[in-house]
Amino acid sequence: MLTRELLIYRRVKGNLRPTFIDPRDADHQALAAGLIEVLEHSIGETRGTLDEALGVLVGEANKQKFARGLVKLLQDKCSFEEAGDAAAELRRQTFLASAAALRGLPDDAPLALYLERLAPALPLPLELCRAQLYDDLAEHRRLLTCTLPTPQALLERYNLAQAQGLALYASRLQVRTPTTSQLELRKLLRWLKWSRLVAEVHREGDEWALQVEGPGAMFDMQKKYGLQLATFLAAVPLLSKFSLTAEVDVPRGAKGTMVLDHKDPLRALDQSALGHIPAEVEAGMGALADERWSVEALPELRHTGATGMCVPDFALRDRESGAGVAVELFHRWHSRALLRRLDELLARPDPGLVLGVDLSLVKDAGLAARVDGHPQVFTFNKFPARRRLQPILDRVAAEAQVRPRAADAGTARPRRRT
């Protein structure tokens, strides 16, 4: 992700537009290749040495802000050694020994006498102490690993990062697409759920419209919410055709509407997004399954209201009866979306849909009153626990057993009168 200082954008017809570069440009390709080559040969070097080598190429670049952006994206893929406590402890012992040595010296003592009395009290030889005293500073940490892209992929990533950088400061985002491909749509909606976002999804004529809501009055969550929006934006180019608008307010920068579409040079980060499940989500869903109940990671969309669509996070299905429930999760910035869904369930009941509500939401007395005792609502912290879902699953299983018996009774042959 690019920091605010590295974003390059302009106003076009009143709208905000990221400044994209041409990934096929020879000069851009050469710069990207040079930066990648520096990292390839820097494993084991300190960060200070690495920054110095990269700085030479940045200084020679015609567009230095662009070059610094490439460096930031590459460094995001680097892993440096941890600081540890050794340097801090060495400083503590060294400074105590230094203070004791100074107290025992006359005011006019030369430096040589001070060093002579200090050396025996140090935990390491004097030269080693000097070399290791500040090893925990970032510039002294060594590069352990780095995942390096091709020059072409780095330049494409830069274009996407420019759009993501503006989305980081968005309060709401809308995507429209005329796609007829259910695969494309399901890919996008899956990313939506993995980004912990709730969207109003509905048809408008020949198009699908996805309105991703902002966090409302929860200003303390704005930064995290913006990061989720930026993560979701990385999946939008999975659509072959789309238009995107986002209401953006960059601190100490521009304010307006960012407008993008499929003609912009944007490429999705993960082209195999349908098979992608974040590790923490996969682990959480795995903990919900048992011998009787299986977990479906990509359940079908569900109709809500007159034209709306619900995007469940996952579904649970009873292996014995085949009955199941789709689960939609509402996180701490989804209060308005939760209220809307509760109203829709009241107007148009859907017993196969279950709502999971983050515990932070029920701190609001009004919301707590709406969900308390609701037969289709459970609460969770971070990720749903099986014990929270169990009463709902027990009810679904019991109702599934009653239905066959009722059906059998309804089709039983009447007795012949005598």
Side-chain angles (χ1 to χ4, degrees), residues 9-18 245 255-261 263:
Y9 52 89
R10 64 193 189 280
R11 285 196 177 275
V12 178
K13 297 180 180 179
N15 296 319
L16 296 182
R17 291 278 299 164
T245 58
K255 181 178 181 179
T257 303
M258 176 175 66
V259 177
L260 303 170
D261 62 34
K263 298 176 184 177

Short mmCIF file of all heavy atoms in Angstrom, two decimals, residues 9-18 245 255-261 263:
data_model
loop_
_atom_site.label_atom_id
_atom_site.label_comp_id
_atom_site.label_asym_id
_atom_site.label_seq_id
_atom_site.Cartn_x
_atom_site.Cartn_y
_atom_site.Cartn_z
N TYR A 9 -2.41 12.03 -8.05
CA TYR A 9 -3.76 12.07 -8.63
C TYR A 9 -4.04 13.49 -9.11
O TYR A 9 -3.31 14.45 -8.81
CB TYR A 9 -4.81 11.62 -7.61
CG TYR A 9 -4.75 12.35 -6.29
CD1 TYR A 9 -5.46 13.53 -6.09
CD2 TYR A 9 -3.98 11.85 -5.23
CE1 TYR A 9 -5.41 14.20 -4.89
CE2 TYR A 9 -3.92 12.52 -4.03
CZ TYR A 9 -4.64 13.69 -3.86
OH TYR A 9 -4.58 14.36 -2.67
N ARG A 10 -5.12 13.62 -9.87
CA ARG A 10 -5.47 14.92 -10.45
C ARG A 10 -7.00 14.99 -10.58
O ARG A 10 -7.68 13.98 -10.40
CB ARG A 10 -4.82 15.10 -11.83
CG ARG A 10 -5.31 14.12 -12.87
CD ARG A 10 -4.43 14.11 -14.10
NE ARG A 10 -5.00 13.34 -15.19
CZ ARG A 10 -4.94 12.01 -15.27
NH1 ARG A 10 -4.33 11.31 -14.33
NH2 ARG A 10 -5.47 11.38 -16.30
N ARG A 11 -7.47 16.17 -10.87
CA ARG A 11 -8.90 16.34 -11.10
C ARG A 11 -9.18 16.32 -12.61
O ARG A 11 -8.52 17.01 -13.39
CB ARG A 11 -9.40 17.66 -10.52
CG ARG A 11 -9.52 17.63 -9.01
CD ARG A 11 -10.36 18.79 -8.50
NE ARG A 11 -10.52 18.71 -7.06
CZ ARG A 11 -11.45 17.99 -6.44
NH1 ARG A 11 -12.33 17.30 -7.16
NH2 ARG A 11 -11.52 17.96 -5.14
N VAL A 12 -10.16 15.52 -13.00
CA VAL A 12 -10.59 15.44 -14.39
C VAL A 12 -12.10 15.61 -14.42
O VAL A 12 -12.84 14.77 -13.89
CB VAL A 12 -10.19 14.09 -15.03
CG1 VAL A 12 -10.68 14.01 -16.46
CG2 VAL A 12 -8.68 13.89 -14.97
N LYS A 13 -12.55 16.72 -14.99
CA LYS A 13 -13.98 17.03 -15.08
C LYS A 13 -14.64 16.98 -13.70
O LYS A 13 -15.75 16.46 -13.54
CB LYS A 13 -14.68 16.06 -16.04
CG LYS A 13 -14.19 16.15 -17.48
CD LYS A 13 -14.92 15.18 -18.38
CE LYS A 13 -14.41 15.29 -19.82
NZ LYS A 13 -15.09 14.32 -20.73
N GLY A 14 -13.93 17.48 -12.72
CA GLY A 14 -14.47 17.56 -11.37
C GLY A 14 -14.28 16.31 -10.53
O GLY A 14 -14.57 16.33 -9.33
N ASN A 15 -13.82 15.20 -11.13
CA ASN A 15 -13.61 13.96 -10.40
C ASN A 15 -12.13 13.72 -10.14
O ASN A 15 -11.26 14.25 -10.84
CB ASN A 15 -14.18 12.77 -11.19
CG ASN A 15 -15.68 12.86 -11.36
OD1 ASN A 15 -16.39 13.23 -10.43
ND2 ASN A 15 -16.18 12.52 -12.54
N LEU A 16 -11.84 12.90 -9.12
CA LEU A 16 -10.46 12.54 -8.82
C LEU A 16 -10.04 11.35 -9.65
O LEU A 16 -10.79 10.37 -9.77
CB LEU A 16 -10.31 12.21 -7.33
CG LEU A 16 -10.57 13.34 -6.33
CD1 LEU A 16 -10.34 12.84 -4.92
CD2 LEU A 16 -9.68 14.52 -6.63
N ARG A 17 -8.84 11.41 -10.21
CA ARG A 17 -8.32 10.31 -11.02
C ARG A 17 -6.89 10.00 -10.60
O ARG A 17 -6.03 10.89 -10.57
CB ARG A 17 -8.31 10.71 -12.49
CG ARG A 17 -9.69 10.84 -13.11
CD ARG A 17 -10.23 9.51 -13.53
NE ARG A 17 -9.38 8.90 -14.54
CZ ARG A 17 -9.42 7.62 -14.88
NH1 ARG A 17 -10.27 6.81 -14.28
NH2 ARG A 17 -8.62 7.13 -15.80
N PRO A 18 -6.60 8.75 -10.22
CA PRO A 18 -5.20 8.38 -9.99
C PRO A 18 -4.40 8.57 -11.27
O PRO A 18 -4.91 8.42 -12.38
CB PRO A 18 -5.29 6.89 -9.60
CG PRO A 18 -6.72 6.64 -9.26
CD PRO A 18 -7.52 7.61 -10.06
N THR A 245 -17.19 4.13 -8.45
CA THR A 245 -17.12 5.47 -7.87
C THR A 245 -16.90 5.34 -6.38
O THR A 245 -17.42 4.42 -5.74
CB THR A 245 -18.40 6.28 -8.13
OG1 THR A 245 -19.52 5.58 -7.58
CG2 THR A 245 -18.61 6.51 -9.61
N LYS A 255 -10.61 16.34 -1.94
CA LYS A 255 -11.88 15.74 -1.56
C LYS A 255 -12.76 15.69 -2.80
O LYS A 255 -12.87 16.68 -3.53
CB LYS A 255 -12.55 16.56 -0.47
CG LYS A 255 -13.88 16.01 0.00
CD LYS A 255 -14.44 16.86 1.13
CE LYS A 255 -15.77 16.29 1.63
NZ LYS A 255 -16.32 17.10 2.75
N GLY A 256 -13.35 14.53 -3.06
CA GLY A 256 -14.19 14.41 -4.24
C GLY A 256 -14.52 12.96 -4.54
O GLY A 256 -14.37 12.08 -3.69
N THR A 257 -14.94 12.70 -5.76
CA THR A 257 -15.35 11.36 -6.19
C THR A 257 -14.29 10.76 -7.10
O THR A 257 -13.96 11.34 -8.14
CB THR A 257 -16.69 11.42 -6.94
OG1 THR A 257 -17.68 12.01 -6.10
CG2 THR A 257 -17.15 10.02 -7.33
N MET A 258 -13.75 9.61 -6.70
CA MET A 258 -12.84 8.88 -7.57
C MET A 258 -13.66 8.04 -8.54
O MET A 258 -14.58 7.32 -8.13
CB MET A 258 -11.90 7.97 -6.76
CG MET A 258 -11.00 7.11 -7.64
SD MET A 258 -9.77 6.14 -6.71
CE MET A 258 -10.82 5.00 -5.80
N VAL A 259 -13.34 8.13 -9.82
CA VAL A 259 -14.07 7.41 -10.86
C VAL A 259 -13.10 6.51 -11.62
O VAL A 259 -12.08 6.98 -12.12
CB VAL A 259 -14.76 8.39 -11.83
CG1 VAL A 259 -15.47 7.63 -12.94
CG2 VAL A 259 -15.75 9.28 -11.08
N LEU A 260 -13.43 5.23 -11.69
CA LEU A 260 -12.60 4.25 -12.42
C LEU A 260 -13.51 3.37 -13.27
O LEU A 260 -14.71 3.25 -13.00
CB LEU A 260 -11.82 3.36 -11.44
CG LEU A 260 -10.89 4.03 -10.44
CD1 LEU A 260 -10.39 3.01 -9.42
CD2 LEU A 260 -9.71 4.66 -11.16
N ASP A 261 -12.94 2.72 -14.28
CA ASP A 261 -13.69 1.72 -15.03
C ASP A 261 -12.73 0.69 -15.62
O ASP A 261 -11.52 0.76 -15.41
CB ASP A 261 -14.58 2.34 -16.11
CG ASP A 261 -13.80 3.11 -17.17
OD1 ASP A 261 -12.67 2.68 -17.50
OD2 ASP A 261 -14.32 4.11 -17.66
N LYS A 263 -11.60 0.25 -18.43
CA LYS A 263 -10.64 0.73 -19.43
C LYS A 263 -9.33 1.20 -18.78
O LYS A 263 -8.34 1.40 -19.48
CB LYS A 263 -11.25 1.84 -20.25
CG LYS A 263 -12.48 1.42 -21.05
CD LYS A 263 -13.11 2.59 -21.78
CE LYS A 263 -14.38 2.18 -22.51
NZ LYS A 263 -15.04 3.34 -23.16
#
